[in-house]
Amino acid sequence: QALVLPPLPALPAAASALAPEADNWATRTVQRGQTLGSLFAAEGLPAALLHRIIEASRFGSSLSRILPGQRFAFLRHADGALAAFRFDAGDSQRVVVHVDGGQLREEVIELPLEHRLMVASGRIEQSLFGAADAAGLSDATIMQLANVFGYDVDFAQDLRRGDEFAVIYEQIYQDGE
């Protein structure tokens, strides 16, 4: 069933600050077993600078618990010195720590989030997972669906071939992802 969505809101003025000098930021994605210290070392940056950033940032505690897939960005001056360090603190905030000589200045940018109302439906032929996948639901969404209704529906025993489902859910996008 077609669902008419409202137009996207205009980006706030702060959105232009989301990626200043975007081409100059070197973005690194955390790999399994990697630490923020190893990212800094790979960038040739001293551990003392990382320690100062963690101590100075309101989000320092989250920097000590990083996960694979998280992204961190480094902006360099022409001489190679670190000009700024950037990371996302949750879904709606981007933190930029500016390194001005010996001083650190933290800037928190509110990220515009796009909320999309989605509809998916299908008919179960083999399994709920197969039907939900065919309906375009992601594995993560299918698992959330199973968790939400797990107490009401025994997905192994109660579902039969020909049963139908319809789901209305919300997707939240940041920077198109």
Side-chain angles (χ1 to χ4, degrees):
Q1 178 178 10
L3 182 64
V4 178
L5 297 176
L8 293 174
L11 291 176
S16 62
L18 293 180
E21 306 171 34
D23 294 341
N24 296 329
W25 285 96
T27 302
R28 305 291 178 246
T29 302
V30 176
Q31 304 300 313
R32 184 177 202 77
Q34 227 174 5
T35 65
L36 196 51
S38 66
L39 283 177
F40 266 65
E43 289 293 316
L45 297 169
L49 177 58
L50 171 59
H51 180 72
R52 286 183 52 222
I53 289 172
I54 290 172
E55 289 296 314
S57 175
R58 289 181 284 164
F59 302 93
S61 62
S62 66
L63 290 175
S64 63
R65 297 182 312 270
I66 66 171
L67 299 170
Q70 279 183 274
R71 291 182 294 210
F72 296 92
F74 301 86
L75 181 64
R76 304 290 187 128
H77 290 293
D79 66 0
L82 185 66
F85 171 64
R86 181 178 72 195
F87 62 95
D88 289 347
D91 291 333
S92 62
Q93 293 180 317
R94 177 159 293 156
V95 180
V96 180
V97 179
H98 299 275
V99 182
D100 299 320
Q103 301 297 315
L104 300 178
R105 179 177 50 85
E106 183 174 72
E107 175 186 11
V108 179
I109 301 166
E110 294 298 322
L111 297 173
L113 297 178
E114 177 187 343
H115 296 261
R116 296 181 189 173
L117 195 58
M118 307 297 289
V119 177
S121 62
R123 178 184 302 268
I124 297 172
E125 297 300 331
Q126 298 292 331
S127 69
L128 172 65
F129 286 94
D133 185 50
L137 294 173
S138 69
D139 290 345
T141 304
I142 297 168
M143 291 305 296
Q144 287 179 332
L145 177 68
N147 287 336
V148 167
F149 292 106
Y151 292 103
D152 298 320
V153 178
D154 181 342
F155 290 103
Q157 305 262 337
D158 293 345
L159 299 180
R160 303 282 184 251
R161 180 177 293 222
D163 284 351
E164 296 179 352
F165 67 91
V167 181
I168 299 173
Y169 61 101
E170 183 178 56
Q171 288 184 332
I172 302 173
Y173 285 79
Q174 172 197 17
D175 294 335
E177 296 181 15

